[in-house]
């Protein structure tokens, strides 16, 4: 019973901390650039504002446009419920859960792209086209990167993979560092950050992830923005699970009940700070150069698989 309560707290933590993580990244970027920047809690105020605004729907929109925010929000919540944070088990842990997470993210992207072209908006369709182009390159990299950590554990159960990583200790090997770098490139790509995309821009000709959301307003927009922030928190958690999982297991009780969540949140905001540093240190990359970046991530993941068995 205690384990189930801890897993529910773990799930709710990712859900509620996602806007704060986005606010922390924006604040870190501003401070590193010598600006005051937005308030740390600004994303929560934005959600509250959108929730209390009316929603306007184009007369050309069909049912796809109307149901997409709810499908995306549901799929993102389900995916985040499958990812362990400070408890090494989840509400729905089973063999193959890590593959289901990839499919749920793909389902969200599919419906967002369909809704972007549904209203006939040229800017929405342009953003969706770019998003699909980049995701068609990023998703194979994500699968190979996860495979690099799943094969040594001989399972696709995420909890079992984490247990295996904790058992073998810190693997100081070329394969580990190649997986680490490839995963960081994936985080930058999948969360729409510089140099791949600029989450702060609203220029129709340059934005990618923001483009498909242009036609939404009110509560549907709030759900889509919250879903994007939850996905970011879920991906950061997946990175922590597979690349830096070491720390006290909360399910053992005692001091671990306090130190486990504390260490996890420090890791989470540490990853956010790294993302902020990457963003201010790079300029936005031209679209045709993004495949080269993802090709480098794919090769790193592929070579890590080879070296895992040769060395």
């Amino acid at each position: 019973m205690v384990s189930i309560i801890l897993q529910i707290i773990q799930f709710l933590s990712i859900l509620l901390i996602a806007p704060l993580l986005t606010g922390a990244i924006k604040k870190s970027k501003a401070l590193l650039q010598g600006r005051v920047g937005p308030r740390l809690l600004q994303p929560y105020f934005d959600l509250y504002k959108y929730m209390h605004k009316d929603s306007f729907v184009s007369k050309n929109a069909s049912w796809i446009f109307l149901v997409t925010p709810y499908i995306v929000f549901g799929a993102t919540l389900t995916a985040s419920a499958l990812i362990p944070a400070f408890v090494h088990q989840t509400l729905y842990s089973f063999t193959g859960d890590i593959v289901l997470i990839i499919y749920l993210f793909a389902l969200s992207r599919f419906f967002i792209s369909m809704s972007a072209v549904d209203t006939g908006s040229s800017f929405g369709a342009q953003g969706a086209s770019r998003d699909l182009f980049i995701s068609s390159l990023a998703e194979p990299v994500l699968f190979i990167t996860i495979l690099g950590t799943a094969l040594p554990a001989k399972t696709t159960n995420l909890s079992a993979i984490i247990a295996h990583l904790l058992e073998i200790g810190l693997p100081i090997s070329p394969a580990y560092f190649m997986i680490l770098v490839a995963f960081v490139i994936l985080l930058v790509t999948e969360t729409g950050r510089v140099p791949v995309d600029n989450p702060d821009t609203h220029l129709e000709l340059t934005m990618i992830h923001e483009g498909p959301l242009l036609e939404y307003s009110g509560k549907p927009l709030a759900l889509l923005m919250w879903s994007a922030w939850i996905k970011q928190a879920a991906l950061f958690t997946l990175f922590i699970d597979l690349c830096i999982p070491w720390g006290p297991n909360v399910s053992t009780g005692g001091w671990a009940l306090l130190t486990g969540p504390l260490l996890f949140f420090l890791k989470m905001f540490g990853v956010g700070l790294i993302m902020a540093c990457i963003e201010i240190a790079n300029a936005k990359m031209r679209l045709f150069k993004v495949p080269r970046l993802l090709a480098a991530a794919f090769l790193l993941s592929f070579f890590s698989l080879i070296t895992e068995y040769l060395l």
Side-chain angles (χ1 to χ4, degrees):
M1 185 63 184
V2 174
S3 175
I4 294 175
I5 293 173
L6 288 173
Q7 290 170 33
I8 293 173
I9 293 173
Q10 168 180 260
F11 167 66
L12 293 177
S13 298
I14 294 180
L15 184 68
L16 298 176
I17 206 175
L20 180 63
L21 179 64
T22 300
I25 294 174
K26 288 185 176 180
K27 191 70 176 178
S28 301
K29 282 171 57 182
L31 293 177
L32 289 170
Q33 291 171 337
R35 299 184 289 111
V36 176
R39 289 176 290 182
L40 195 61
L41 302 180
Q42 187 60 44
Y44 293 102
F45 296 125
D46 290 340
L47 280 182
Y48 179 82
K49 178 180 68 178
Y50 292 134
M51 285 289 186
H52 289 80
K53 281 185 173 292
D54 293 331
S55 176
F56 295 93
V57 180
S58 168
K59 63 180 181 182
N60 298 320
S62 70
W63 63 272
I64 293 176
F65 183 84
L66 300 176
V67 302
T68 290
Y70 303 98
I71 291 177
V72 171
F73 192 68
T76 310
L77 284 186
T78 307
S80 63
L82 293 167
I83 302 176
F86 43 82
V87 183
H88 298 157
Q89 294 81 31
T90 62
L91 294 171
Y92 308 107
S93 181
F94 59 91
T95 300
D97 53 3
I98 205 162
V99 179
L100 179 60
I101 292 169
I102 297 173
Y103 275 111
L104 287 170
F105 286 149
L107 177 70
S108 299
R109 180 171 276 128
F110 171 76
F111 270 93
I112 288 176
S113 302
M114 290 285 287
S115 67
V117 299
D118 189 49
T119 58
S121 166
S122 56
F123 290 125
Q126 187 182 51
S129 172
R130 290 174 175 177
D131 190 29
L132 288 175
F133 168 65
I134 292 175
S135 67
S136 67
L137 302 172
E139 283 176 3
V141 180
L142 178 61
F143 186 77
I144 295 293
T145 303
I146 290 175
L147 197 63
T149 57
L151 279 182
K154 297 182 174 57
T155 178
T156 52
N157 184 315
L158 192 51
S159 297
I161 294 172
I162 295 171
H164 177 263
L165 290 172
L166 291 172
E167 184 181 343
I168 62 175
L170 184 62
I172 304 297
S173 65
Y176 169 75
F177 289 107
M178 283 190 278
I179 287 284
L180 191 71
V181 175
F183 217 128
V184 170
I185 294 174
L186 272 174
L187 290 183
V188 171
T189 305
E190 287 289 324
T191 57
R193 302 204 162 275
V194 177
V196 175
D197 191 12
N198 187 350
D200 299 324
T201 184
H202 289 283
L203 296 174
E204 290 86 350
L205 294 177
T206 59
M207 60 188 179
I208 299 175
H209 289 86
E210 293 286 331
L213 310 185
L214 277 178
E215 295 296 319
Y216 281 103
S217 58
K219 292 183 181 65
L221 178 61
L223 285 179
L224 289 173
M225 291 181 65
W226 198 1
S227 300
W229 297 337
I230 294 171
K231 180 184 177 183
Q232 174 180 258
L235 285 172
F236 283 11
T237 306
L238 194 59
F239 173 76
I240 292 169
D241 286 342
L242 298 180
C243 296
I244 43 175
W246 303 279
N249 188 352
V250 172
S251 57
T252 58
W255 279 102
L257 285 171
L258 178 64
T259 57
L262 183 63
L263 183 62
F264 168 74
F265 292 129
L266 284 175
K267 288 179 187 176
M268 176 77 85
F269 286 98
V271 175
L273 183 60
I274 292 172
M275 289 295 112
C277 292
I278 290 174
E279 283 205 278
I280 64 167
N282 293 279
K284 187 176 181 303
M285 187 180 289
R286 298 181 70 178
L287 187 63
F288 68 85
K289 290 186 177 180
V290 174
R292 300 179 191 175
L293 181 67
L294 290 171
F298 180 84
L299 288 175
L300 284 170
S301 303
F302 181 71
F303 287 136
S304 75
L305 283 176
I306 296 175
T307 54
E308 184 72 34
Y309 291 98
L310 291 181
L311 299 180

